[in-house]
Amino acid sequence: MALFERRRRPALPAPVRAAVPLDGGASVLAWARDERTGGHVVATTHHLAFVGPGDELAWSRPWHEAETGTWAGETSTLTVTWVDRGAPARWQVTEPSLLQQALRERLQASVVLADEFRTAGRRTVRVVIRQDLATGALLEQIVPGKGADLTDTDVAREAAQRLARLRAEVGL
């Protein structure tokens, strides 16, 4: 056995790969098996997808819809939160994978400019210009932190001003 021999990870199962939409020149960057469900989390250049245990596509979401990704090593849990504040996606990933790195890189690649401020109630609001990695289109997002109220007129005004500044910086 060679001193620096690397063990190759098995390829993404063909039925899982076939279920993942790879239109527009997209390619698979990384994947991992979810130990809880037996499904597969697949990171592509344009989307994050989940293929259920029956090899059916459960969902595929563009990277600009993902807000954060966190790794809890003690439980081997990967969590993705969404800009729309929908239920977070959680997977238990125990086998070695490049999924965490791909997640971080794709999230960063989708952010063009961002600004953050605190409300009078000490809540955080982020204003972001993101890019749809499939089309190149620029998108505006106002992402309230926990407890931030976007219907508050002062918060809405501050968010609009900051978003206008970001829009001007990117020529929107």
Side-chain angles (χ1 to χ4, degrees):
M1 179 161 105
L3 181 60
F4 296 107
E5 180 180 315
R6 291 184 348 148
R7 289 189 351 196
R8 269 185 70 83
R9 183 160 191 240
L12 179 63
V16 174
R17 185 176 180 89
V20 176
L22 294 175
D23 46 332
S27 59
V28 172
L29 299 174
W31 63 275
R33 184 175 180 278
D34 175 27
E35 296 299 324
R36 289 187 190 118
T37 66
H40 291 81
V41 186
V42 182
T44 77
T45 47
H46 301 155
H47 295 86
L48 182 64
F50 183 71
V51 177
D55 298 331
E56 75 288 343
L57 180 67
W59 53 261
S60 178
R61 294 186 72 168
W63 287 109
H64 63 268
E65 291 182 3
E67 173 66 14
T68 62
T70 56
W71 172 251
E74 65 280 356
T75 60
S76 300
T77 302
L78 181 62
T79 303
V80 173
T81 59
W82 307 103
V83 171
D84 65 9
R85 297 297 180 227
R90 287 188 178 85
W91 306 283
Q92 187 174 24
V93 178
T94 57
E95 297 174 6
S97 171
L98 296 176
L99 185 61
Q100 295 90 330
Q101 292 91 331
L103 177 68
R104 182 180 327 109
E105 187 276 329
R106 293 283 83 192
L107 287 174
Q108 289 175 348
S110 73
V111 175
V112 176
L113 281 176
D115 193 7
E116 186 174 281
F117 67 94
R118 290 207 182 271
T119 67
R122 312 260 318 135
R123 304 298 182 186
T124 302
V125 176
R126 286 187 40 173
V127 291
V128 188
I129 303 290
R130 302 214 29 205
Q131 183 177 35
D132 180 329
L133 297 176
T135 66
L138 297 181
L139 310 155
E140 304 169 2
Q141 296 175 336
I142 299 175
V143 184
K146 187 174 182 177
D149 181 7
L150 294 180
T151 63
D152 178 294
T153 55
D154 292 334
V155 173
R157 183 175 27 252
E158 179 77 16
Q161 289 171 348
R162 289 175 183 255
L163 191 56
R165 189 169 49 246
L166 294 182
R167 291 180 78 219
E169 286 187 43
V170 298
L172 287 178

